[in-house]
């Protein structure tokens, strides 16, 4: 789902959309990139998924009830939203505005539908797909996390196979075999984008 025409946010910084199959390790990579980069920030999504242990409201996600999420869809508060693994996730217009108003770059962590919805809405974003080295590695990571039950892991693995196929639609693909290399790769993409943006007066 996307925003209506004429409602595109005034983005001053660049927008980076990062997708990866669940368990692809994108959180770890993004955290490291953002820790070292003073000019970029993480855009916090809203979700109806219950918080995992240690997750903080407003920092990891804005945790909303089904009713509240639906109310906000109707009120047009989302730039995009999607049903991912049976829960709703979305990017709040207010969150995008908060970051871009400061002129900083924003990193959004979206599923593939979210990337497509932004693209179809004509929103300019650099899209990065983070690949696990293999499906086996992905499953091992999901199990290692210890917070997903068997049924959830099966759903996420099925979705992962379809998501891996979608990598062709992204501007860049980063393989997350070694975290430091993946971080350096994402930093190279960010750096290139900033040099490209510098063409504009
Ligand atoms: P998790 O439940 O593991 O935190 O996230 C599950 C998936 O939801 C992730 O793969 C992530 O890319 C996706 N996701 C998180 N926030 C958003 C969002 O705002 N919009 C969309 N479309 N997907 C999101």
């Amino acid at each position: 789902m996307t925003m209506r025409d004429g409602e595109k946010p005034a983005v001053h910084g660049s927008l980076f959309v990062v997708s990866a199959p669940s368990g692809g390790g994108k959180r770890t990579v993004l955290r490291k990139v953002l820790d070292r980069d003073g000019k970029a920030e993480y855009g916090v999504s809203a979700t109806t998924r219950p918080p995992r242990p240690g997750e903080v409201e407003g920092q990891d996600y804005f945790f909303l009830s089904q009713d509240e999420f639906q109310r906000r869809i109707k009120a047009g508060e989302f730039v995009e939203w999607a049903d991912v693994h049976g829960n709703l996730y979305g990017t709040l217009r207010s969150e995008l505005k908060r970051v871009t108003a400061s002129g900083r770059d924003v990193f959004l962590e979206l599923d593939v539908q979210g990337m497509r919805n932004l693209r179809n809405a004509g929103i300019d974003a650099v899209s990065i797909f983070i690949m696990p080295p293999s499906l086996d590695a992905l499953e091992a990571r999901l199990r290692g996390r210890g917070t997903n039950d068997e049924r959830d892991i099966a759903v996420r693995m099925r979705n992962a196979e379809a998501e891996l196929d979608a990598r062709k639609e992204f501007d860049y693909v980063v393989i997350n075999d070694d975290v430091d290399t993946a971080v350096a790769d994402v930093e190279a993409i960010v750096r290139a984008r900033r040099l490209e943006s510098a063409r504009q007066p």
Side-chain angles (χ1 to χ4, degrees), residues 20 22 26 45 49 52 61 80 82 84-85 89-91 109-111 114 156:
S22 179
K26 63 182 173 297
S45 296
R49 165 171 83 58
R52 296 196 185 112
Y61 282 105
E80 64 76 37
V84 188
H85 318 306
Y89 294 81
T91 309
E109 195 193 311
L110 305 182
D111 77 323
R156 282 168 192 257

Side-chain angles (χ1 to χ4, degrees), residues 74 80 83 148 185 196:
K74 288 203 188 86
E80 64 76 37
D83 183 320
N148 302 94
D185 286 347
E196 189 191 350

